[in-house]
Amino acid sequence: MKKTFLILSLAMTSLFANAQELILPLWEGTPPLQKDMGLEEKAIEEGIIRIENVQIPQIEVFLPSKQMRTGQAVVIFPGGGYHILAYDWEGRDFAKWLNTQGIVGIVVKYRLPDSKSLTDAKEVPLLDAQRAIRMARFHAEEWKIDPSKIGVLGFSAGGHLASTVSTQYMHEVDRAKDEIDALSARPDYSILAYPVISFRDASAHSGSRRNLIGEDASQELIDRFSGELNVTEETPPTFLVHAQDDKGVPIENSFLYYKALDAKGVPASLHIYPAGGHGFGFGLGKGPVDGWRDVLLDWMKSLDSK
């Protein structure tokens, strides 16, 4: 038995040793809608890695070994209220886990709208999200990705960003463009974990709304960034997971988005667990939500059968 375990361990070690990690900037030179002010981002590690004041947005690409790759890729947006990025807890850790399933994980270090270097802060997270998806398609052949199997995964405010790019993937701002911009920014599917969806009063996460669009935003802006109001028949199939006892982001956010998807005939899978709180991440040791990732994998496999 010990010999068998040792052989399996060595095989797994060899398999993951073949995995690769790449870091690429999203933009060449100074990113669009940003001034070069010499500001520096800050990374703080207190249990988890928190990144603030992102100045050089990038993607960190985790590639499974070639033997394992399924062709799927997931572009990941960590949460943090549009003020910080919970970069490992809701980013790197999930990318590495996806690698064990043969899925490419792409963590996005997107710019946060409270940075003083931004010229139109509300547009910047979406712009970075669109770019990350386009870059995944641009490198699809190199990274052995099927360009029709690129999804997004977002947590909390990252879930808001994932839902925004899922409903506003064609939104444009005035900027210089390159060959990557010719590619589609539409995700093929969306995974939203305890997402901020609505900026309307009853369901709004006030911190995310304030940080993205300001304290005194117009009704037009509030509606534009309320995901449930922007769903169309072209919005990608979506998996939603939330805990009933979430005190940070009310479960109504997931309900609203699910109802909007259902009304437009978009395939959607909603999973509400009785406990888990906000920010449960993997769900390990959090009771009912502990197994949500297994449910997610089954859903992702079902996409191939449709």
Coordinates of all heavy atoms in Angstrom, one line a residue, residues 177-250:
K177 N -6.2 51.5 -30.1 CA -6.5 50.1 -30.1 C -5.4 49.4 -30.9 O -4.6 50.0 -31.6 CB -7.9 49.8 -30.8 CG -9.0 50.4 -30.0 CD -10.4 50.0 -30.6 CE -11.5 50.5 -29.7 NZ -12.8 50.1 -30.3
D178 N -5.4 48.0 -30.6 CA -4.4 47.2 -31.3 C -5.0 45.9 -31.8 O -6.3 45.8 -31.7 CB -3.2 46.9 -30.4 CG -3.6 46.2 -29.1 OD1 -4.7 45.6 -29.0 OD2 -2.8 46.2 -28.1
E179 N -4.2 45.0 -32.2 CA -4.8 43.8 -32.8 C -5.6 42.9 -31.8 O -6.5 42.2 -32.2 CB -3.7 42.9 -33.5 CG -2.6 42.5 -32.5 CD -1.5 41.7 -33.2 OE1 -1.9 40.9 -34.2 OE2 -0.4 41.8 -32.8
I180 N -5.2 43.0 -30.6 CA -6.0 42.2 -29.6 C -7.4 42.7 -29.4 O -8.3 41.9 -29.2 CB -5.2 42.3 -28.2 CG1 -3.8 41.7 -28.3 CG2 -6.0 41.7 -27.1 CD1 -3.0 41.8 -27.1
D181 N -7.6 44.0 -29.7 CA -9.0 44.6 -29.5 C -9.9 44.1 -30.6 O -11.1 44.3 -30.5 CB -8.9 46.1 -29.6 CG -8.2 46.7 -28.3 OD1 -8.7 46.4 -27.2 OD2 -7.2 47.4 -28.5
A182 N -9.4 43.5 -31.6 CA -10.3 42.9 -32.7 C -11.0 41.6 -32.2 O -12.0 41.2 -32.8 CB -9.5 42.6 -33.9
L183 N -10.5 41.0 -31.1 CA -11.1 39.8 -30.6 C -12.3 40.1 -29.7 O -12.4 41.1 -29.0 CB -10.0 39.0 -29.9 CG -8.8 38.6 -30.7 CD1 -7.7 38.0 -29.8 CD2 -9.2 37.6 -31.8
S184 N -13.2 39.1 -29.5 CA -14.3 39.2 -28.7 C -13.9 39.2 -27.2 O -13.1 38.5 -26.8 CB -15.3 38.1 -28.9 OG -16.4 38.1 -28.0
A185 N -14.6 40.1 -26.4 CA -14.5 40.1 -25.0 C -15.6 39.4 -24.3 O -15.7 39.5 -23.0 CB -14.3 41.6 -24.5
R186 N -16.5 38.7 -25.0 CA -17.6 38.0 -24.4 C -17.1 36.7 -23.7 O -16.6 35.9 -24.4 CB -18.7 37.7 -25.4 CG -19.9 37.0 -24.8 CD -20.8 36.6 -25.9 NE -22.0 35.9 -25.4 CZ -22.1 34.6 -25.1 NH1 -21.0 33.8 -25.4 NH2 -23.2 34.0 -24.7
P187 N -17.4 36.6 -22.4 CA -17.1 35.3 -21.8 C -18.1 34.2 -22.4 O -19.2 34.5 -22.7 CB -17.4 35.5 -20.3 CG -17.5 37.0 -20.1 CD -18.0 37.5 -21.5
D188 N -17.6 33.0 -22.4 CA -18.5 31.9 -22.8 C -19.4 31.4 -21.7 O -20.4 30.7 -21.9 CB -17.7 30.7 -23.4 CG -16.9 31.2 -24.7 OD1 -17.6 31.6 -25.6 OD2 -15.7 31.2 -24.7
Y189 N -19.0 31.6 -20.5 CA -19.8 31.3 -19.3 C -19.3 32.2 -18.1 O -18.2 32.7 -18.2 CB -19.8 29.8 -19.0 CG -18.4 29.3 -18.7 CD1 -17.8 29.2 -17.5 CD2 -17.6 28.8 -19.8 CE1 -16.6 28.7 -17.3 CE2 -16.4 28.2 -19.6 CZ -15.8 28.2 -18.3 OH -14.6 27.7 -18.1
S190 N -20.1 32.3 -17.1 CA -19.8 33.1 -15.9 C -20.0 32.3 -14.7 O -21.0 31.6 -14.6 CB -20.7 34.4 -15.9 OG -20.5 35.2 -17.0
I191 N -19.1 32.5 -13.7 CA -19.2 31.9 -12.4 C -19.2 33.0 -11.4 O -18.2 33.8 -11.3 CB -18.1 30.9 -12.1 CG1 -18.0 29.8 -13.2 CG2 -18.3 30.3 -10.7 CD1 -16.7 29.1 -13.3
L192 N -20.2 33.2 -10.7 CA -20.3 34.4 -9.7 C -20.5 33.9 -8.3 O -21.5 33.2 -8.0 CB -21.5 35.3 -10.1 CG -21.6 35.7 -11.6 CD1 -22.8 36.6 -11.9 CD2 -20.3 36.4 -12.1
A193 N -19.5 34.1 -7.5 CA -19.5 33.7 -6.1 C -19.8 34.9 -5.2 O -19.1 35.9 -5.2 CB -18.1 33.1 -5.7
Y194 N -20.9 34.7 -4.4 CA -21.4 35.8 -3.5 C -21.2 37.2 -4.2 O -20.6 38.1 -3.6 CB -20.8 35.8 -2.1 CG -19.3 35.4 -2.0 CD1 -18.3 36.4 -2.1 CD2 -18.9 34.1 -1.9 CE1 -17.0 36.1 -2.0 CE2 -17.6 33.7 -1.8 CZ -16.6 34.7 -1.8 OH -15.3 34.4 -1.7
P195 N -21.8 37.3 -5.4 CA -21.5 38.6 -6.2 C -22.3 39.8 -5.8 O -23.4 39.7 -5.4 CB -21.9 38.1 -7.6 CG -23.1 37.2 -7.3 CD -22.7 36.4 -6.1
V196 N -21.6 40.9 -5.8 CA -22.3 42.2 -5.9 C -22.9 42.3 -7.3 O -22.2 42.1 -8.3 CB -21.4 43.4 -5.7 CG1 -22.1 44.7 -5.8 CG2 -20.7 43.3 -4.3
I197 N -24.2 42.5 -7.4 CA -24.9 42.6 -8.7 C -25.5 44.0 -8.8 O -25.3 44.7 -9.8 CB -25.9 41.5 -8.9 CG1 -25.3 40.2 -8.9 CG2 -26.8 41.8 -10.1 CD1 -24.5 39.9 -10.2
S198 N -26.4 44.4 -7.9 CA -27.2 45.6 -8.0 C -26.6 46.7 -7.2 O -26.1 46.6 -6.1 CB -28.6 45.3 -7.5 OG -29.4 46.4 -7.7
F199 N -26.6 47.9 -7.8 CA -26.3 49.1 -7.1 C -27.5 49.9 -6.7 O -27.4 51.0 -6.2 CB -25.4 50.0 -8.1 CG -23.9 49.6 -8.1 CD1 -23.0 50.3 -8.9 CD2 -23.5 48.6 -7.3 CE1 -21.7 50.0 -8.9 CE2 -22.1 48.2 -7.3 CZ -21.2 48.9 -8.1
R200 N -28.7 49.3 -6.9 CA -29.9 49.9 -6.4 C -29.9 49.8 -4.8 O -29.4 48.8 -4.3 CB -31.1 49.3 -7.0 CG -31.2 49.7 -8.5 CD -32.4 49.2 -9.2 NE -32.7 50.0 -10.4 CZ -33.9 50.0 -11.0 NH1 -34.9 49.3 -10.5 NH2 -34.1 50.7 -12.1
D201 N -30.7 50.6 -4.2 CA -30.6 50.8 -2.7 C -30.8 49.5 -1.9 O -30.1 49.2 -1.0 CB -31.5 51.9 -2.2 CG -31.1 53.2 -2.7 OD1 -29.9 53.4 -2.9 OD2 -31.9 54.2 -2.8
A202 N -31.9 48.7 -2.3 CA -32.3 47.6 -1.5 C -31.2 46.5 -1.4 O -31.1 45.9 -0.4 CB -33.6 47.0 -2.0
S203 N -30.5 46.3 -2.5 CA -29.5 45.2 -2.5 C -28.0 45.7 -2.6 O -27.1 44.9 -2.6 CB -29.8 44.4 -3.7 OG -31.1 43.9 -3.7
A204 N -27.8 47.0 -2.7 CA -26.5 47.5 -3.0 C -25.5 47.2 -1.9 O -25.8 47.3 -0.7 CB -26.5 49.0 -3.2
H205 N -24.3 46.9 -2.3 CA -23.1 46.8 -1.4 C -22.5 48.2 -1.5 O -21.9 48.6 -2.5 CB -22.1 45.8 -1.8 CG -20.9 45.7 -0.9 ND1 -19.7 46.2 -1.3 CD2 -20.8 45.2 0.3 CE1 -18.8 46.0 -0.3 NE2 -19.4 45.4 0.7
S206 N -22.7 49.0 -0.4 CA -22.5 50.5 -0.5 C -21.0 50.7 -0.8 O -20.7 51.7 -1.5 CB -22.9 51.1 0.8 OG -22.2 50.6 1.9
G207 N -20.1 49.9 -0.2 CA -18.7 50.2 -0.5 C -18.3 50.0 -1.9 O -17.6 50.9 -2.5
S208 N -18.7 48.9 -2.6 CA -18.4 48.7 -4.0 C -19.0 49.8 -4.8 O -18.4 50.3 -5.7 CB -19.0 47.4 -4.4 OG -18.3 46.3 -3.7
R209 N -20.3 50.2 -4.5 CA -20.9 51.3 -5.3 C -20.2 52.6 -5.2 O -19.9 53.3 -6.2 CB -22.4 51.4 -4.9 CG -23.1 52.4 -5.8 CD -24.6 52.5 -5.5 NE -24.9 53.1 -4.1 CZ -26.1 53.2 -3.7 NH1 -27.2 52.8 -4.4 NH2 -26.3 53.7 -2.5
R210 N -19.9 52.9 -3.9 CA -19.2 54.2 -3.7 C -17.8 54.2 -4.4 O -17.4 55.2 -5.0 CB -19.0 54.4 -2.2 CG -18.3 55.7 -1.8 CD -18.1 55.8 -0.3 NE -17.3 54.8 0.3 CZ -17.8 53.8 1.0 NH1 -19.0 53.7 1.3 NH2 -16.9 52.8 1.5
N211 N -17.0 53.1 -4.3 CA -15.7 53.1 -4.8 C -15.7 53.1 -6.3 O -14.8 53.7 -7.0 CB -14.9 51.9 -4.3 CG -14.6 52.0 -2.9 OD1 -14.4 53.0 -2.3 ND2 -14.5 50.8 -2.2
L212 N -16.7 52.6 -7.0 CA -16.7 52.5 -8.4 C -17.4 53.7 -9.1 O -16.8 54.3 -10.0 CB -17.5 51.3 -8.9 CG -17.5 51.0 -10.4 CD1 -16.0 50.8 -10.9 CD2 -18.3 49.9 -10.8
I213 N -18.5 54.2 -8.6 CA -19.2 55.3 -9.3 C -19.4 56.5 -8.4 O -20.0 57.5 -8.8 CB -20.6 54.8 -9.8 CG1 -21.5 54.3 -8.7 CG2 -20.3 53.7 -10.9 CD1 -22.9 54.0 -9.2
G214 N -19.0 56.5 -7.1 CA -19.1 57.7 -6.3 C -20.3 57.7 -5.4 O -21.3 57.0 -5.7
E215 N -20.3 58.6 -4.4 CA -21.3 58.7 -3.4 C -22.6 59.2 -4.0 O -23.7 58.8 -3.7 CB -20.9 59.6 -2.3 CG -21.6 59.4 -1.0 CD -21.3 58.2 -0.2 OE1 -20.1 58.1 0.3 OE2 -22.1 57.3 -0.1
D216 N -22.5 60.2 -5.0 CA -23.7 60.9 -5.5 C -23.9 60.6 -7.0 O -24.2 61.4 -7.8 CB -23.5 62.4 -5.3 CG -23.3 62.8 -3.9 OD1 -24.1 62.3 -3.0 OD2 -22.4 63.5 -3.6
A217 N -23.7 59.3 -7.3 CA -23.9 58.9 -8.7 C -25.3 59.1 -9.2 O -26.3 59.1 -8.5 CB -23.5 57.4 -8.9
S218 N -25.4 59.4 -10.5 CA -26.7 59.6 -11.2 C -27.4 58.3 -11.2 O -26.8 57.2 -11.2 CB -26.5 60.2 -12.6 OG -25.9 59.2 -13.4
Q219 N -28.8 58.4 -11.4 CA -29.6 57.2 -11.6 C -29.1 56.4 -12.8 O -29.1 55.2 -12.8 CB -31.1 57.5 -11.7 CG -32.0 56.3 -11.6 CD -31.9 55.6 -10.3 OE1 -31.9 56.2 -9.2 NE2 -31.7 54.3 -10.3
E220 N -28.7 57.1 -13.8 CA -28.2 56.5 -15.1 C -27.0 55.6 -14.8 O -27.0 54.5 -15.3 CB -27.9 57.6 -16.1 CG -27.4 57.0 -17.4 CD -27.1 58.1 -18.4 OE1 -27.1 59.2 -18.1 OE2 -26.7 57.7 -19.6
L221 N -26.1 56.1 -14.0 CA -24.9 55.3 -13.7 C -25.3 54.1 -12.8 O -24.7 53.0 -13.0 CB -23.8 56.2 -13.0 CG -22.8 56.8 -13.9 CD1 -21.8 57.6 -13.0 CD2 -22.1 55.8 -14.8
I222 N -26.1 54.4 -11.8 CA -26.5 53.3 -10.9 C -27.2 52.2 -11.7 O -26.9 51.0 -11.5 CB -27.5 53.8 -9.9 CG1 -26.8 54.7 -8.9 CG2 -28.2 52.7 -9.1 CD1 -27.7 55.5 -7.9
D223 N -28.0 52.5 -12.7 CA -28.7 51.5 -13.5 C -27.7 50.8 -14.4 O -27.8 49.6 -14.6 CB -29.8 52.1 -14.3 CG -31.0 52.5 -13.5 OD1 -31.0 52.2 -12.2 OD2 -31.9 53.2 -14.0
R224 N -26.8 51.6 -15.0 CA -25.8 51.0 -15.9 C -25.0 49.9 -15.2 O -24.6 48.9 -15.8 CB -24.9 52.0 -16.5 CG -23.9 51.4 -17.5 CD -22.8 52.3 -17.9 NE -21.6 51.5 -18.3 CZ -20.4 51.9 -18.4 NH1 -20.1 53.2 -18.2 NH2 -19.4 51.1 -18.8
F225 N -24.6 50.1 -13.9 CA -23.8 49.2 -13.2 C -24.6 48.2 -12.3 O -24.0 47.6 -11.4 CB -22.7 49.9 -12.4 CG -21.6 50.5 -13.3 CD1 -21.6 51.8 -13.7 CD2 -20.6 49.6 -13.8 CE1 -20.6 52.3 -14.5 CE2 -19.6 50.1 -14.7 CZ -19.6 51.4 -15.0
S226 N -25.9 48.1 -12.5 CA -26.7 47.1 -11.9 C -26.9 46.0 -12.9 O -27.7 46.1 -13.8 CB -28.0 47.7 -11.4 OG -27.8 48.7 -10.4
G227 N -26.2 44.9 -12.6 CA -26.2 43.8 -13.6 C -27.5 43.3 -14.0 O -27.7 42.9 -15.2
E228 N -28.4 43.2 -13.1 CA -29.7 42.6 -13.4 C -30.5 43.4 -14.4 O -31.4 42.9 -15.1 CB -30.6 42.5 -12.1 CG -31.3 43.7 -11.6 CD -30.4 44.6 -10.8 OE1 -29.1 44.5 -10.8 OE2 -30.9 45.5 -10.1
L229 N -30.2 44.7 -14.6 CA -30.9 45.5 -15.6 C -30.2 45.5 -17.0 O -30.8 46.0 -17.9 CB -30.8 47.0 -15.1 CG -31.5 47.2 -13.7 CD1 -31.4 48.7 -13.4 CD2 -32.9 46.8 -13.7
N230 N -29.1 44.7 -17.1 CA -28.4 44.7 -18.4 C -28.3 43.4 -19.0 O -27.6 43.2 -20.0 CB -27.0 45.3 -18.2 CG -27.1 46.8 -17.7 OD1 -27.3 47.7 -18.6 ND2 -26.9 47.1 -16.5
V231 N -29.0 42.4 -18.5 CA -29.0 41.0 -19.1 C -29.7 41.0 -20.4 O -30.8 41.7 -20.5 CB -29.6 40.0 -18.1 CG1 -29.9 38.7 -18.7 CG2 -28.7 39.9 -16.8
T232 N -29.2 40.3 -21.4 CA -29.9 40.1 -22.7 C -29.8 38.6 -23.0 O -29.3 37.8 -22.3 CB -29.2 40.9 -23.8 OG1 -27.9 40.3 -24.1 CG2 -28.9 42.4 -23.4
E233 N -30.4 38.3 -24.1 CA -30.4 36.9 -24.6 C -29.0 36.5 -24.9 O -28.7 35.2 -24.9 CB -31.3 36.8 -25.8 CG -32.7 36.9 -25.6 CD -33.2 38.3 -25.6 OE1 -32.4 39.3 -25.7 OE2 -34.4 38.6 -25.5
E234 N -28.0 37.4 -25.1 CA -26.6 37.1 -25.4 C -25.7 37.0 -24.2 O -24.6 36.6 -24.3 CB -26.1 38.1 -26.3 CG -26.8 38.2 -27.7 CD -26.9 36.9 -28.4 OE1 -25.8 36.2 -28.4 OE2 -27.9 36.5 -28.9
T235 N -26.3 37.2 -23.0 CA -25.5 37.1 -21.7 C -25.1 35.6 -21.6 O -26.0 34.7 -21.8 CB -26.3 37.6 -20.5 OG1 -26.7 38.9 -20.7 CG2 -25.5 37.4 -19.2
P236 N -23.9 35.3 -21.2 CA -23.5 33.9 -21.2 C -24.1 33.1 -20.0 O -24.6 33.7 -19.0 CB -22.0 34.0 -20.9 CG -21.7 35.3 -20.4 CD -22.8 36.2 -21.0
P237 N -24.2 31.7 -20.2 CA -24.7 30.9 -19.1 C -24.0 31.2 -17.8 O -22.8 31.4 -17.8 CB -24.4 29.5 -19.6 CG -24.3 29.6 -21.1 CD -23.8 31.0 -21.4
T238 N -24.7 31.1 -16.7 CA -24.1 31.6 -15.4 C -24.4 30.6 -14.3 O -25.5 30.0 -14.2 CB -24.7 32.9 -15.1 OG1 -24.5 33.8 -16.2 CG2 -24.1 33.5 -13.8
F239 N -23.4 30.4 -13.5 CA -23.4 29.7 -12.2 C -23.3 30.7 -11.1 O -22.4 31.5 -11.0 CB -22.3 28.7 -12.2 CG -22.2 27.8 -10.9 CD1 -22.7 26.5 -10.9 CD2 -21.6 28.3 -9.7 CE1 -22.6 25.7 -9.8 CE2 -21.6 27.5 -8.6 CZ -22.0 26.2 -8.6
L240 N -24.3 30.7 -10.1 CA -24.2 31.6 -9.0 C -24.2 30.8 -7.7 O -24.9 29.8 -7.6 CB -25.5 32.5 -9.0 CG -25.6 33.4 -10.2 CD1 -26.9 33.1 -10.9 CD2 -25.6 34.9 -9.7
V241 N -23.4 31.2 -6.8 CA -23.3 30.6 -5.4 C -23.3 31.7 -4.4 O -22.6 32.7 -4.5 CB -22.1 29.6 -5.3 CG1 -20.8 30.4 -5.5 CG2 -22.2 28.9 -4.0
H242 N -24.1 31.5 -3.3 CA -24.2 32.5 -2.3 C -24.6 31.8 -1.0 O -25.2 30.7 -1.0 CB -25.3 33.5 -2.6 CG -25.0 34.9 -2.4 ND1 -25.0 35.9 -3.3 CD2 -24.7 35.5 -1.2 CE1 -24.7 37.0 -2.8 NE2 -24.5 36.9 -1.5
A243 N -24.3 32.4 0.2 CA -24.7 31.8 1.5 C -25.8 32.7 2.0 O -25.8 33.9 1.9 CB -23.5 31.8 2.4
Q244 N -26.8 32.0 2.6 CA -28.0 32.7 3.1 C -27.6 33.7 4.2 O -28.3 34.7 4.4 CB -29.0 31.7 3.6 CG -30.4 32.3 4.0 CD -31.3 31.2 4.4 OE1 -31.0 30.0 4.3 NE2 -32.5 31.5 4.9
D245 N -26.6 33.4 5.0 CA -26.2 34.2 6.1 C -25.2 35.3 5.7 O -24.4 35.8 6.6 CB -25.7 33.4 7.3 CG -24.5 32.6 7.0 OD1 -24.1 32.5 5.8 OD2 -23.9 32.0 8.0
D246 N -25.0 35.6 4.5 CA -24.1 36.6 4.0 C -24.5 37.9 4.5 O -25.5 38.5 4.1 CB -24.0 36.5 2.5 CG -22.8 37.4 1.9 OD1 -22.5 38.4 2.5 OD2 -22.3 37.0 0.8
K247 N -23.7 38.5 5.4 CA -24.0 39.8 6.0 C -23.3 41.0 5.2 O -23.6 42.1 5.4 CB -23.6 39.9 7.4 CG -24.2 38.9 8.3 CD -25.7 38.9 8.3 CE -26.2 37.8 9.3 NZ -27.7 37.7 9.2
G248 N -22.4 40.6 4.3 CA -21.7 41.6 3.5 C -22.4 42.0 2.2 O -22.6 43.2 1.9
V249 N -22.8 41.0 1.4 CA -23.6 41.2 0.2 C -24.9 40.4 0.3 O -24.8 39.1 0.3 CB -22.7 40.7 -1.0 CG1 -23.5 40.9 -2.3 CG2 -21.4 41.5 -1.1
P250 N -26.0 41.0 0.3 CA -27.3 40.3 0.5 C -27.5 39.3 -0.6 O -27.2 39.5 -1.8 CB -28.3 41.4 0.5 CG -27.6 42.6 0.8 CD -26.2 42.5 0.3

